[in-house]
């Protein structure tokens, strides 16, 4: 994971972009992983650990009726958490984790159900009109393993989006250099 998070920080820094984090089940572990990278302060704006459901609504702006209908362990909740962190912390990118690490089920969801999300600048993520992407995970293991894999997964999701954009930009520049359109 250290290479993934280092790559995330490097790409954000090179691009002059910033990152905000919203965490639930990971309880600050994503922010800790990011700030462990030397130079992270050039890209990392901050984080919100909204462990309690009402904080997801009150601080991150997650729709209260969505929370009431589906609970906190939901793909739309994850997406709204990432967008909320991005907005309130003034970042180019937002990422979020929500899920059930155990030992008991929550909101009708079994242990190991996790949703990770990324929200980026509008129009930059292929196939997304809102600038966001959510990944559903079904993880095995104990509480610590589920939480650690959630951290790895949200960082990998962000890296994939950042690297995909970088690759697209590089392709466009190469096409221009070679006389294409």
């Amino acid at each position: 994971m250290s290479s993934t998070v280092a790559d995330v920080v490097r790409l954000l820094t090179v691009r002059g972009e910033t990152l905000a984090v919203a965490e639930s089940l990971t309880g600050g572990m994503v922010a800790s992983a990011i700030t462990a990278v030397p130079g992270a302060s050039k890209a990392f704006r901050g984080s919100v650990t909204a462990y309690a459901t009402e904080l997801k609504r009150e601080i991150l702006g997650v729709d209260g009726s969505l929370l009431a209908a589906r609970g906190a362990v939901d793909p739309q909740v994850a997406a709204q958490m990432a967008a909320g962190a991005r907005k309130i912390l003034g970042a180019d990118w937002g990422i979020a984790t929500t899920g059930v690490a155990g030992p008991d089920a929550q909101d009708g969801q079994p242990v190991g159900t996790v949703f990770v999300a990324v929200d980026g600048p509008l129009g930059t993520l292929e196939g997304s009109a809102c600038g966001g992407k959510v990944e559903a995970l079904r993880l095995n293991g104990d509480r610590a393993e589920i939480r650690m894999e959630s951290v790895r997964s949200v960082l990998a999701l962000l890296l994939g989006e950042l690297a995909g954009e970088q690759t697209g930009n590089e392709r466009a520049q190469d096409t221009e250099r070679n006389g294409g359109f």
Side-chain angles (χ1 to χ4, degrees), residues 26-173:
T26 50
M29 293 170 63
V30 176
S32 179
I34 293 165
T35 58
V37 176
S41 61
K42 293 175 185 158
F44 186 60
R45 295 278 301 156
S47 66
V48 173
T49 300
Y51 208 65
T53 298
E54 67 269 14
L55 295 179
K56 291 170 181 66
R57 178 179 47 80
E58 293 169 5
I59 295 174
L60 294 171
V62 175
D63 184 297
S65 59
L66 173 65
L67 289 166
R70 298 193 192 162
V73 183
D74 181 81
Q76 288 183 324
V77 170
Q80 289 183 20
M81 287 173 64
R86 181 175 170 233
K87 180 181 176 183
I88 66 170
L89 297 174
D92 298 300
W93 294 88
I95 58 176
T97 62
T98 188
V100 186
D104 301 316
Q106 178 186 335
D107 297 331
Q109 299 285 354
V111 172
T113 302
V114 175
F115 297 97
V116 295
V118 60
D119 187 74
L122 290 177
T124 61
L125 302 176
E126 256 184 60
S128 175
C130 66
K133 185 173 185 179
V134 179
E135 187 173 283
L137 307 171
R138 298 293 182 256
L139 304 175
N140 295 315
D142 64 19
R143 182 176 174 79
E145 291 167 328
I146 290 169
R147 293 174 76 218
M148 202 61 209
E149 183 59 23
S150 299
V151 172
R152 189 204 64 73
S153 295
V154 76
L155 291 169
L157 180 63
L158 175 59
L159 181 60
E161 296 304 318
L162 290 169
E165 278 194 1
Q166 189 73 19
T167 302
N169 290 339
E170 289 168 357
R171 275 196 300 268
Q173 290 170 0

